[in-house]
Amino acid sequence: MTEHADAVMNVIFGWDPVWVAGTLFVLTYAVIMTERVNRAIVALLGGMLMIMTGVLNQEAALRGEDFNTLGLLTGMMVIVAITRRSGVFQFVAIWSAKKVGAQPWGILLMLSVVTAIFSALLDNVTTVLLIVPVTLLITQELKVTPFPFLFTEILSSNIGGAATLIGDPPNIMIGSAVPFSFNDFLINLAPIIPLILLMTLAVVWVIWGRKMHASDEARQNIMSFNERNSITDARLLKQSLFVLTTVISGFIFAHQLHLEPATIALFGAALLLLLTNIKRSSESQAKDVHASFAEVEWITIFFFVGLFILVHGVEQVGLLERLANAVLDFTGGDLANTALMILWISAIFSALVDNIPFVATMIPVIKSMAPVFGGAENLEPLWWSLALGACLGGNGSLIGASANLIVAGYAEQAGHPIRFVPFMLLAFPMMLMSIVIATIYIYFRYLV
Amino acid sequence: MSAEQFMSRDPVTAHADERVRNALVKMCDKHIHNLPVMDSDGKFIGLFGLRNLLRALLPKAATISPALKSLVFLADNLEEVIESLQEVADQPVKNYLDRDHLILCRTDEPIMEVIRKLYEAPTSLPVVLVESDGAHLVGMISYWDILAHISSQLGDVDPRLKSACVINDNEGSDSSD
């Protein structure tokens, strides 16, 4: 697609398209930030108004949609929705708690590592949905306060999610737009993640870990859990693990297979649906397929659908190019300065607002910097800065990432609410620490 | 044929600050599954039922949403349940009301709507009179009240069915669920 080819510029009342697109974009983002109206509603309205005001026509708007991101997210959500019914995630959580003799600090460590690994392979929201209920059960049995556990799981999910292409929506979007492969993410981002997780856990140990204690009786309760019983459907477990392994192998070999991640994920979803439904009556199939689709987080999907149109609109009228030029003016067109600026601004922004719209906006901005840095292949440090900043920045506050809010919602229901300010007072400095580590990593790996 | 005509009047109630222990005695005494709970001004604020009690005995992780789907991996630990029950027994009933999912019935609702509501929510239906200052409890309707009422209208059409349905008629209150 050629640059700005989609600008229709047939804007109502003959208004200036730059102003109309810019105003729509800023207004939509402002309303999203207030969190007064569900973000999917706001983004869809904003996207449709971009068409109705004539900035884009419908065809052009559809070219703005990143179907690779949408398909990958939807496919993985369906696979996980089916897999979780087998009880495998509960099994892993309980198994890991028992491995450390049900010592509270050991459990916190294990659950955090499990959260990070799951978050790298599945999306963060799904991971915390699976881990948090088990965590609440274990902490209630241990008679210890769940806050340190939930706090660390939030941080671990965002840290783990940063490691892979499929771990966190910002990475999915970057991987789809650039395009980077699954392995590119593994090679470039995953190496620094264990260190960041380790440092985070060290801080948690200093704050809570060293003082954690549970009675022998309470620990005995945990040790008496029979994790094997939580596997409720062994056949489903085998089918799910087979499909998950196939899909992840597919991501790893996607380049050789000439396949995009969305195709692999949606194929996996369809295959798992086929395996679990093949011998059922048509009525029961319809019910099961409907239930599996219903577990897709449609709010996130439609949020993306609206956002992609909005961003495409401001891109096509040339606004994002101007923004990119402003950034380059500020950094003097120096690659190191630009990369580190993107890292830090992404982190601060993502802590305070949703990182998805931020990344959606930054992708075309970074793309348009290619001529300045001598071609798209030289932009790599900028992409990894954006990915690390946006994913890790989500840890800065309770509203920084969807997973954070999901955990807070759970904690509230269980009678242990997580408050915005106390969370931020601890999490924001820890997020900054992770960005300092990322800065050193990016600098020494890509910029010297 | 409206709700007012087949509800049980003057139901046994509990005060919001009444201990669960006390409420349980009343419920066992009268063989009822749900007690309407009133505040100090005599206003109806919700139902305390055996289902609420069960919920209080469960670990929190099993009652939040989305919850743990199964607790089959837990050891068979009766002492823990007893401990929880004793803890709950000394709490006021108001701590366990299910205020969000309360389904009410108005005095003038037709029988088919009452049956639909009982089918939707497996509990007894509080019947309220809606006035300008809020809803006042005037009675309760259980599955048995419905059956008793229908059977009383059967006449000599089907005597066996009629006698089958009046078993609890003399209790005059909720013993369903």
Side-chain angles (χ1 to χ4, degrees), chain B residues 104-134:
Chain B
L104 297 174
C105 170
R106 287 157 51 132
T107 49
D108 55 354
E109 279 178 24
I111 187 162
M112 210 49 105
E113 173 63 2
V114 175
I115 293 175
R116 191 194 66 80
K117 281 185 173 170
L118 279 172
Y119 166 72
E120 286 256 302
T123 175
S124 328
L125 275 180
V127 186
V128 295
L129 199 60
V130 181
E131 283 174 358
S132 54
D133 64 332

Short mmCIF file of all heavy atoms in Angstrom, two decimals, chain B residues 104-134:
data_model
loop_
_atom_site.label_atom_id
_atom_site.label_comp_id
_atom_site.label_asym_id
_atom_site.label_seq_id
_atom_site.Cartn_x
_atom_site.Cartn_y
_atom_site.Cartn_z
N LEU B 104 -37.94 -10.15 43.24
CA LEU B 104 -39.13 -9.83 44.02
C LEU B 104 -40.39 -10.09 43.19
O LEU B 104 -40.34 -10.16 41.97
CB LEU B 104 -39.12 -8.35 44.41
CG LEU B 104 -37.96 -7.90 45.31
CD1 LEU B 104 -38.01 -6.39 45.50
CD2 LEU B 104 -38.04 -8.60 46.66
N CYS B 105 -41.49 -10.21 43.90
CA CYS B 105 -42.76 -10.43 43.23
C CYS B 105 -43.73 -9.38 43.76
O CYS B 105 -43.75 -9.10 44.95
CB CYS B 105 -43.21 -11.85 43.58
SG CYS B 105 -44.87 -12.24 43.10
N ARG B 106 -44.49 -8.77 42.87
CA ARG B 106 -45.48 -7.79 43.34
C ARG B 106 -46.80 -8.49 43.62
O ARG B 106 -47.07 -9.56 43.08
CB ARG B 106 -45.65 -6.68 42.31
CG ARG B 106 -44.44 -5.76 42.28
CD ARG B 106 -44.32 -5.06 40.96
NE ARG B 106 -45.60 -4.43 40.60
CZ ARG B 106 -45.68 -3.17 40.18
NH1 ARG B 106 -44.61 -2.43 40.09
NH2 ARG B 106 -46.85 -2.67 39.85
N THR B 107 -47.59 -7.86 44.46
CA THR B 107 -48.83 -8.49 44.90
C THR B 107 -49.78 -8.82 43.74
O THR B 107 -50.56 -9.75 43.80
CB THR B 107 -49.58 -7.58 45.89
OG1 THR B 107 -49.64 -6.27 45.33
CG2 THR B 107 -48.89 -7.54 47.23
N ASP B 108 -49.68 -8.03 42.65
CA ASP B 108 -50.67 -8.20 41.58
C ASP B 108 -50.16 -9.04 40.41
O ASP B 108 -50.76 -9.05 39.35
CB ASP B 108 -51.12 -6.82 41.07
CG ASP B 108 -49.92 -5.97 40.63
OD1 ASP B 108 -48.77 -6.43 40.83
OD2 ASP B 108 -50.13 -4.87 40.10
N GLU B 109 -49.03 -9.75 40.61
CA GLU B 109 -48.50 -10.51 39.47
C GLU B 109 -49.29 -11.80 39.22
O GLU B 109 -49.68 -12.48 40.15
CB GLU B 109 -47.02 -10.83 39.72
CG GLU B 109 -46.15 -9.64 39.37
CD GLU B 109 -44.69 -9.84 39.61
OE1 GLU B 109 -44.24 -10.99 39.62
OE2 GLU B 109 -43.99 -8.82 39.81
N PRO B 110 -49.51 -12.13 37.93
CA PRO B 110 -50.30 -13.33 37.61
C PRO B 110 -49.54 -14.61 37.92
O PRO B 110 -48.30 -14.62 37.96
CB PRO B 110 -50.55 -13.20 36.11
CG PRO B 110 -49.47 -12.32 35.60
CD PRO B 110 -49.12 -11.39 36.72
N ILE B 111 -50.28 -15.69 38.08
CA ILE B 111 -49.68 -16.96 38.53
C ILE B 111 -48.58 -17.45 37.58
O ILE B 111 -47.55 -17.94 38.03
CB ILE B 111 -50.78 -18.04 38.73
CG1 ILE B 111 -50.15 -19.29 39.36
CG2 ILE B 111 -51.47 -18.40 37.41
CD1 ILE B 111 -51.15 -20.22 39.99
N MET B 112 -48.77 -17.28 36.27
CA MET B 112 -47.77 -17.79 35.34
C MET B 112 -46.44 -17.07 35.52
O MET B 112 -45.37 -17.67 35.43
CB MET B 112 -48.28 -17.64 33.91
CG MET B 112 -47.75 -18.70 32.96
SD MET B 112 -47.89 -20.38 33.59
CE MET B 112 -49.26 -20.98 32.63
N GLU B 113 -46.49 -15.75 35.80
CA GLU B 113 -45.27 -14.99 36.02
C GLU B 113 -44.60 -15.43 37.33
O GLU B 113 -43.38 -15.51 37.41
CB GLU B 113 -45.59 -13.49 36.04
CG GLU B 113 -44.44 -12.57 36.43
CD GLU B 113 -43.26 -12.60 35.47
OE1 GLU B 113 -43.32 -13.32 34.45
OE2 GLU B 113 -42.23 -11.94 35.75
N VAL B 114 -45.44 -15.74 38.34
CA VAL B 114 -44.87 -16.20 39.61
C VAL B 114 -44.16 -17.54 39.40
O VAL B 114 -43.04 -17.75 39.88
CB VAL B 114 -45.98 -16.34 40.67
CG1 VAL B 114 -45.41 -16.93 41.96
CG2 VAL B 114 -46.62 -14.98 40.95
N ILE B 115 -44.78 -18.43 38.62
CA ILE B 115 -44.16 -19.73 38.36
C ILE B 115 -42.85 -19.52 37.58
O ILE B 115 -41.82 -20.14 37.89
CB ILE B 115 -45.12 -20.64 37.55
CG1 ILE B 115 -46.32 -21.01 38.42
CG2 ILE B 115 -44.41 -21.91 37.07
CD1 ILE B 115 -47.40 -21.81 37.70
N ARG B 116 -42.86 -18.61 36.63
CA ARG B 116 -41.65 -18.34 35.85
C ARG B 116 -40.51 -17.85 36.75
O ARG B 116 -39.37 -18.30 36.65
CB ARG B 116 -41.94 -17.30 34.77
CG ARG B 116 -40.82 -17.15 33.74
CD ARG B 116 -40.97 -15.91 32.90
NE ARG B 116 -40.81 -14.69 33.68
CZ ARG B 116 -39.64 -14.18 34.04
NH1 ARG B 116 -38.53 -14.77 33.69
NH2 ARG B 116 -39.60 -13.09 34.77
N LYS B 117 -40.87 -16.95 37.69
CA LYS B 117 -39.84 -16.41 38.57
C LYS B 117 -39.27 -17.49 39.49
O LYS B 117 -38.07 -17.53 39.76
CB LYS B 117 -40.41 -15.25 39.40
CG LYS B 117 -40.47 -13.96 38.62
CD LYS B 117 -40.92 -12.81 39.49
CE LYS B 117 -40.80 -11.51 38.70
NZ LYS B 117 -41.45 -10.40 39.43
N LEU B 118 -40.15 -18.36 39.98
CA LEU B 118 -39.67 -19.45 40.87
C LEU B 118 -38.77 -20.41 40.10
O LEU B 118 -37.82 -20.96 40.64
CB LEU B 118 -40.85 -20.21 41.47
CG LEU B 118 -41.51 -19.54 42.67
CD1 LEU B 118 -42.78 -20.28 43.05
CD2 LEU B 118 -40.57 -19.48 43.86
N TYR B 119 -39.08 -20.58 38.82
CA TYR B 119 -38.28 -21.46 37.98
C TYR B 119 -36.90 -20.84 37.70
O TYR B 119 -35.89 -21.50 37.73
CB TYR B 119 -39.04 -21.71 36.67
CG TYR B 119 -38.21 -22.31 35.57
CD1 TYR B 119 -37.79 -23.64 35.63
CD2 TYR B 119 -37.84 -21.54 34.48
CE1 TYR B 119 -37.02 -24.17 34.62
CE2 TYR B 119 -37.08 -22.07 33.46
CZ TYR B 119 -36.67 -23.39 33.54
OH TYR B 119 -35.90 -23.91 32.54
N GLU B 120 -36.89 -19.53 37.48
CA GLU B 120 -35.65 -18.81 37.19
C GLU B 120 -34.72 -18.78 38.40
O GLU B 120 -33.52 -18.96 38.27
CB GLU B 120 -35.97 -17.35 36.82
CG GLU B 120 -36.56 -17.19 35.47
CD GLU B 120 -35.56 -16.66 34.47
OE1 GLU B 120 -35.02 -15.58 34.71
OE2 GLU B 120 -35.32 -17.36 33.48
N ALA B 121 -35.26 -18.49 39.57
CA ALA B 121 -34.45 -18.34 40.78
C ALA B 121 -34.86 -19.41 41.77
O ALA B 121 -35.97 -19.38 42.28
CB ALA B 121 -34.69 -16.96 41.39
N PRO B 122 -34.01 -20.38 42.02
CA PRO B 122 -34.39 -21.48 42.89
C PRO B 122 -34.45 -21.06 44.35
O PRO B 122 -33.61 -21.43 45.15
CB PRO B 122 -33.29 -22.51 42.64
CG PRO B 122 -32.12 -21.72 42.17
CD PRO B 122 -32.64 -20.47 41.55
N THR B 123 -35.43 -20.26 44.68
CA THR B 123 -35.56 -19.79 46.05
C THR B 123 -37.02 -19.38 46.24
O THR B 123 -37.79 -19.41 45.30
CB THR B 123 -34.61 -18.61 46.30
OG1 THR B 123 -34.84 -18.10 47.59
CG2 THR B 123 -34.85 -17.49 45.30
N SER B 124 -37.38 -18.98 47.45
CA SER B 124 -38.75 -18.50 47.65
C SER B 124 -38.83 -17.06 47.19
O SER B 124 -37.84 -16.35 47.17
CB SER B 124 -39.14 -18.55 49.12
OG SER B 124 -38.50 -19.61 49.75
N LEU B 125 -40.04 -16.66 46.82
CA LEU B 125 -40.21 -15.30 46.32
C LEU B 125 -40.79 -14.41 47.40
O LEU B 125 -41.87 -14.68 47.91
CB LEU B 125 -41.21 -15.31 45.16
CG LEU B 125 -40.71 -15.61 43.77
CD1 LEU B 125 -41.89 -15.54 42.81
CD2 LEU B 125 -39.64 -14.61 43.36
N PRO B 126 -40.09 -13.33 47.73
CA PRO B 126 -40.71 -12.37 48.64
C PRO B 126 -41.77 -11.58 47.87
O PRO B 126 -41.53 -11.16 46.74
CB PRO B 126 -39.55 -11.45 49.03
CG PRO B 126 -38.32 -12.07 48.47
CD PRO B 126 -38.73 -12.96 47.35
N VAL B 127 -42.94 -11.41 48.45
CA VAL B 127 -43.99 -10.62 47.80
C VAL B 127 -43.99 -9.25 48.44
O VAL B 127 -44.03 -9.12 49.66
CB VAL B 127 -45.38 -11.27 47.98
CG1 VAL B 127 -46.42 -10.49 47.17
CG2 VAL B 127 -45.34 -12.72 47.54
N VAL B 128 -43.89 -8.23 47.62
CA VAL B 128 -43.81 -6.90 48.18
C VAL B 128 -44.91 -6.00 47.65
O VAL B 128 -45.41 -6.19 46.54
CB VAL B 128 -42.44 -6.25 47.87
CG1 VAL B 128 -41.32 -7.00 48.56
CG2 VAL B 128 -42.21 -6.17 46.37
N LEU B 129 -45.27 -5.06 48.48
CA LEU B 129 -46.22 -4.03 48.09
C LEU B 129 -45.36 -2.80 47.81
O LEU B 129 -44.64 -2.33 48.70
CB LEU B 129 -47.16 -3.77 49.27
CG LEU B 129 -48.47 -3.07 48.96
CD1 LEU B 129 -49.28 -3.88 47.97
CD2 LEU B 129 -49.27 -2.89 50.26
N VAL B 130 -45.40 -2.32 46.56
CA VAL B 130 -44.55 -1.18 46.24
C VAL B 130 -45.32 0.10 46.55
O VAL B 130 -46.39 0.35 46.02
CB VAL B 130 -44.14 -1.22 44.75
CG1 VAL B 130 -43.24 -0.05 44.42
CG2 VAL B 130 -43.45 -2.53 44.46
N GLU B 131 -44.76 0.89 47.47
CA GLU B 131 -45.37 2.17 47.81
C GLU B 131 -44.36 3.27 47.60
O GLU B 131 -43.20 3.00 47.29
CB GLU B 131 -45.87 2.13 49.27
CG GLU B 131 -47.17 1.35 49.37
CD GLU B 131 -47.63 1.16 50.81
OE1 GLU B 131 -46.91 1.61 51.72
OE2 GLU B 131 -48.69 0.56 50.99
N SER B 132 -44.79 4.49 47.80
CA SER B 132 -43.90 5.61 47.49
C SER B 132 -42.62 5.58 48.33
O SER B 132 -41.56 6.00 47.88
CB SER B 132 -44.65 6.93 47.70
OG SER B 132 -45.18 6.96 49.01
N ASP B 133 -42.70 5.06 49.54
CA ASP B 133 -41.50 5.07 50.41
C ASP B 133 -40.69 3.77 50.28
O ASP B 133 -39.82 3.50 51.09
CB ASP B 133 -41.89 5.34 51.86
CG ASP B 133 -42.77 4.23 52.42
OD1 ASP B 133 -43.48 3.58 51.61
OD2 ASP B 133 -42.74 3.98 53.64
N GLY B 134 -40.99 2.95 49.31
CA GLY B 134 -40.20 1.74 49.11
C GLY B 134 -41.04 0.49 49.08
O GLY B 134 -42.27 0.56 49.01
#
